[in-house]
Amino acid sequence: MSLLQISEPNQSKNPHQHRYALGIDLGTTHSLVAVVRSGRANALPFGDSPLLPSVVYYGNKSSAPVVGNAALVYADDLKNTIISAKRFMGRAKSDIKFSHPYTLAGNDKTMPAFVTAQGEKSPVETSAHILKHLKNHAAAALPPDSIQGAVITVPAYFDDAQRTATKDAATAAGLTVLRLLNEPTAAAIAYGIDKNTAQGNYLVYDLGGGTFDVSLLRLSDGVFEVLATGGNSALGGDDIDRLIANWLIKTANLNPADIDHSEKSRLAKLAKTYKQALSEQDSVLIELNIANTPVSVSLDNATLSQIIEPVIRRTLQSCEQVMLDAKVDKSALNDIILVGGSTRMPVIRDAVEAHFGRVPLCSINPDEVVAIGASIAADQLINQSKDALLLLDVTPLSLGIETMGGLMEVIIPRNTPIPVTRRQVFTTHQDGQTGMIIQVVQGERDTVADCRRLARFELHGIPPMKAGLARVEVTYAIDANGQLTVSARETTTDIVSQIQVSPSYGLSEEQQEQLLQAGFIHAAEDKAARMLIETKVEAERELLALQSALTDFADLLSDDEHANLRHHMQATTDALTTDDKAVIDQAIKALKVHSDHFASVIMDKNVKDALAGTRTSDW
Ligand code: ADP
Ligand code: MG
């Protein structure tokens, strides 16, 4: 099935020249570039490894920025050596809560820049330097001018701002972005699961250095779709290293609380080498000094698996959550795909196998699998191969609109496959209302205050009508790259207003998780809050309608009736200041008796007016 159609206005001048497209895994710690040549996808090596450290050194004023292994040499020059720009991409300064050694320039609301000896460098610029290095490396291995563009992978959790920042970096590096692709989707493409099976569910388990991502993909009728994503943005190989370091400290009969930070980080670095050795052999002999206490101990994989049990357990819990979200049972999984350097560990592979009762797919190098999949997708895109799959991603959080009383009305629920377009019709709240404020909201809670406002825009020029008569159709459209456009149209007049939602900064993964978790935790209390707000909105609407009727028809009521109605309107207004639904319900009920009477008086008058001047014989 070929659904990805890329038109190519700048076709190569020589139609017989082979065209290439790159697959780029722009990782937090490592980046890779892969390309399909003669039908085979390969990651291009830098020396003996295809992993390019995602590191840029800006310390030398008179030279160009230094990228990759050459930059690692300067790792001790903390402020000038940027080692995890990806974590800063598309984020505001106020979003950056994790510790880092950099001096950041900029104000709270914008993406910060690293202050270096070569001046201020934004995370986008740093990523662009890495991308340019990858591009030049690939260009050197391919015929001149044969690179048509690149597919760049991003974590499934990346929001709009983070994706936009990634695209901006590619453009700055002189790369044409064919597509941003979610990392798990790329891994699944690498395994070509579409070619082996017609149909099935696949779980992608990605345990890297600092993050754990899990995604559930479904393949059906040649269409590939991400059903659900989840994970933990602060769980990975680094935690494994720390657990081993703490185990070593305890083995030396020392208290981890007494060991200082620099000694702990030295131990964590050593722990990483023992851990990696245990991926090749079953035990390692460790001999070292911790705070002047000698330690000599043998560590084997069985002990390792006990030490890192908390990490394993948490990854498996995330897997369960994702399967719940996708409503896919363990028994309905066709395969599990392992991604990320940490899945080289036999203890991780064994734990996954034991949990799911099946051997996971790990024949493709888990470091390279994402870049390889991206290169296959890129190749399909430029060659418009018949094999090209429809690659669907999902929205990580629900998107909605703020309605009266500060309620969040979901328009696109989370985990909806994209691209997607959803419409909903809203109406006016007040008589004669000519404008409407549209608040675009993201999150899982019922009240806007507990979600996140993404954007706000206004629709003007609605013709004045009675409350509830105008019809404003609001459309949310997310394109294949995850970019959201919101538009509003008043259907009787065709007045349109629209906005492309690209906030200058996005949500951190932690914040996304918090919003998700909050939705689960607060479900019951949210329901009560929603019911209270709905009651209040109803009371306000009733008061407004009565106010408007009184302006026109007050003379139809006797003084007593008028006073009574006013009294109950005031009582309802007072009840609204409480947050007690029962009190408000009671006030509305009391008010209704009088307002119903008023309504029937008005109706009678309208009927009489309609009949005035006509004779019975005319009927
Ligand atoms: P990321 O995608 O987060 O940049 P990677 O997928 O490159 O991370 O994984 C990096 C992690 O993989 C590090 O914690 C590293 O220690 C771990 N790792 C790499 N090789 C091995 C190995 N042979 N055995 C165990 N862990 C490994
Ligand atoms: Mg990775």
Side-chain angles (χ1 to χ4, degrees):
M1 171 172 295
S2 174
L3 275 147
L4 297 162
Q5 302 205 346
I6 297 290
S7 63
E8 300 212 72
N10 308 317
Q11 284 251 343
S12 160
K13 286 178 207 86
N14 175 0
H16 300 297
Q17 188 195 16
H18 202 95
R19 300 178 305 150
Y20 295 97
L22 309 179
I24 293 180
D25 175 359
L26 185 62
T28 313
T29 46
H30 296 115
S31 296
L32 297 90
V33 57
V35 65
V36 174
R37 280 181 292 186
S38 316
R40 289 182 62 88
N42 277 308
L44 303 174
F46 295 86
D48 52 7
S49 161
L51 299 177
L52 176 78
S54 303
V55 180
V56 185
Y57 175 62
Y58 295 108
N60 188 342
K61 272 191 197 141
S62 55
S63 86
V66 180
V67 180
N69 283 307
L72 273 185
V73 177
Y74 304 100
D76 287 342
D77 184 358
L78 295 176
K79 292 204 182 309
N80 291 316
T81 312
I82 312 303
I83 54 167
S84 53
K86 187 172 177 176
R87 301 174 72 202
F88 295 82
M89 289 287 270
R91 307 268 295 271
K93 199 172 167 188
S94 57
D95 284 335
I96 292 157
K97 303 271 160 57
F98 49 86
S99 65
H100 59 80
Y102 312 116
T103 308
L104 297 182
N107 63 42
D108 272 6
K109 291 275 164 257
T110 57
M111 219 189 302
F114 307 109
V115 178
T116 73
Q118 290 185 7
E120 291 181 10
K121 302 289 169 187
S122 81
V124 170
E125 231 176 317
T126 304
S127 299
H129 285 134
I130 296 168
L131 287 168
K132 193 162 189 177
H133 194 88
L134 294 167
K135 179 191 150 197
N136 291 343
H137 187 63
L142 295 169
D145 299 323
S146 63
I147 298 174
Q148 305 293 307
V151 166
I152 300 173
T153 59
V154 289
Y157 261 73
F158 255 27
D159 69 10
D160 199 55
Q162 292 165 303
R163 285 168 199 264
T164 303
T166 306
K167 257 192 281 179
D168 291 348
T171 309
L175 273 170
T176 304
V177 181
L178 300 172
R179 177 80 193 258
L180 294 181
L181 183 63
N182 279 347
E183 289 161 8
T185 312
I189 293 169
Y191 276 100
I193 56 176
D194 53 300
K195 312 234 164 45
N196 308 332
T197 337
Q199 176 124 345
N201 299 309
Y202 297 84
L203 188 97
V204 181
Y205 178 108
D206 179 351
L207 190 60
T211 56
F212 175 62
D213 288 306
V214 52
S215 315
L216 223 163
L217 313 180
R218 173 172 294 165
L219 178 74
S220 59
D221 303 325
V223 175
F224 209 16
E225 175 183 355
V226 184
L227 290 185
T229 63
N232 190 324
S233 58
L235 186 67
D238 299 344
D239 299 276
I240 291 175
D241 302 342
R242 274 193 289 271
L243 285 172
I244 299 171
N246 275 348
W247 176 80
L248 287 170
I249 294 168
K250 286 185 197 141
T251 304
N253 280 321
L254 295 166
N255 183 351
D258 299 335
I259 306 296
D260 71 25
H261 184 76
S262 75
E263 178 69 346
K264 270 188 180 159
S265 73
R266 181 185 72 95
L267 286 175
K269 270 191 199 125
L270 285 172
K272 181 184 281 220
T273 63
Y274 307 138
K275 166 187 85 174
Q276 297 189 350
L278 284 171
S279 297
E280 311 297 327
Q281 62 208 56
D282 201 52
S283 76
V284 282
L285 187 63
I286 300 172
E287 281 176 324
L288 47 75
N289 278 305
I290 303 175
N292 298 322
T293 310
V295 183
S296 172
V297 63
S298 159
L299 176 61
D300 62 11
N301 269 308
T303 312
L304 180 63
S305 112
Q306 284 166 19
I307 297 170
I308 69 166
E309 191 275 338
V311 169
I312 296 176
R313 180 165 27 92
R314 287 167 72 195
T315 65
L316 295 176
Q317 278 166 354
S318 292
C319 293
E320 291 297 322
Q321 180 64 53
V322 160
M323 287 190 293
L324 266 178
D325 279 353
K327 300 188 184 68
V328 170
D329 191 67
K330 216 170 5 187
S331 62
L333 289 178
N334 290 50
D335 261 314
I336 296 135
I337 301 170
L338 297 187
V339 180
S342 298
T343 65
R344 288 166 174 272
M345 297 176 71
V347 296
I348 299 275
R349 293 182 179 187
D350 291 348
V352 172
E353 182 177 339
H355 184 80
F356 290 97
R358 94 182 51 240
V359 182
L361 292 179
C362 51
S363 59
I364 302 177
N365 194 328
D367 292 330
E368 299 173 15
V369 63
V370 167
I372 286 177
S375 74
I376 295 170
D379 187 60
Q380 288 177 352
L381 284 170
I382 57 157
N383 292 312
Q384 296 197 17
S385 142
K386 282 190 208 65
D387 293 338
L389 291 164
L390 173 59
L391 306 170
L392 290 171
D393 293 333
V394 296
T395 54
L397 292 168
S398 300
L399 286 165
I401 190 168
E402 175 170 354
T403 59
M404 282 307 299
L407 286 180
M408 153 79 159
E409 175 89 19
V410 172
I411 296 191
I412 302 180
R414 80 191 190 90
N415 280 332
T416 301
I418 58 171
V420 60
T421 299
R422 294 273 165 88
R423 287 193 181 84
Q424 197 149 319
V425 175
F426 294 90
T427 188
T428 44
H429 180 64
Q430 281 182 16
D431 288 350
Q433 187 178 338
T434 57
M436 206 180 232
I437 294 169
I438 315 262
Q439 285 272 13
V440 183
V441 185
Q442 188 174 44
E444 307 310 313
R445 297 288 299 275
D446 277 33
T447 52
V448 170
D450 294 319
C451 294
R452 178 187 164 94
R453 288 188 167 91
L454 279 187
R456 171 193 196 277
F457 69 105
E458 292 170 18
L459 179 69
H460 294 288
I462 301 173
M465 292 179 231
K466 282 275 174 209
L469 287 185
R471 295 179 64 76
V472 176
E473 187 183 75
V474 175
T475 304
Y476 277 44
I478 306 179
D479 70 12
N481 289 317
Q483 202 109 34
L484 171 68
T485 303
V486 179
S487 60
R489 186 171 73 95
E490 202 290 309
T491 55
T492 57
T493 52
D494 231 20
I495 290 163
V496 177
S497 176
Q498 81 165 33
I499 188 171
Q500 185 159 62
V501 183
S502 317
S504 58
Y505 60 91
L507 285 181
S508 68
E509 291 169 30
E510 287 98 309
Q511 284 172 309
Q512 294 203 20
E513 264 163 39
Q514 274 164 16
L515 288 176
L516 270 183
Q517 287 301 333
F520 294 126
I521 296 164
H522 298 284
E525 116 196 18
D526 274 6
K527 197 169 164 214
R530 173 175 283 270
M531 279 162 59
L532 172 65
I533 291 170
E534 281 171 357
T535 304
K536 283 185 157 184
V537 169
E538 189 203 328
E540 279 161 9
R541 196 173 287 148
E542 180 83 6
L543 286 173
L544 278 171
L546 278 173
Q547 196 59 57
S548 141
L550 274 175
T551 323
D552 296 341
F553 302 108
D555 55 331
L556 296 180
L557 294 176
S558 72
D559 285 352
D560 269 3
E561 286 170 334
H562 196 155
N564 257 327
L565 184 60
R566 283 282 181 200
H567 166 75
H568 283 287
M569 284 171 73
Q570 187 56 48
T572 307
T573 307
D574 292 345
L576 277 172
T577 62
T578 74
D579 270 338
D580 191 333
K581 183 172 180 307
V583 170
I584 302 169
D585 276 338
Q586 197 57 44
I588 297 177
K589 211 170 145 196
L591 179 64
K592 275 260 162 72
V593 178
H594 298 273
S595 64
D596 282 353
H597 169 69
F598 188 25
S600 62
V601 171
I602 295 172
M603 195 116 78
D604 279 354
K605 163 142 187 356
N606 285 344
V607 172
K608 281 192 196 120
D609 284 353
L611 298 184
T614 56
R615 276 171 291 165
T616 1
S617 57
D618 294 340
W619 293 23

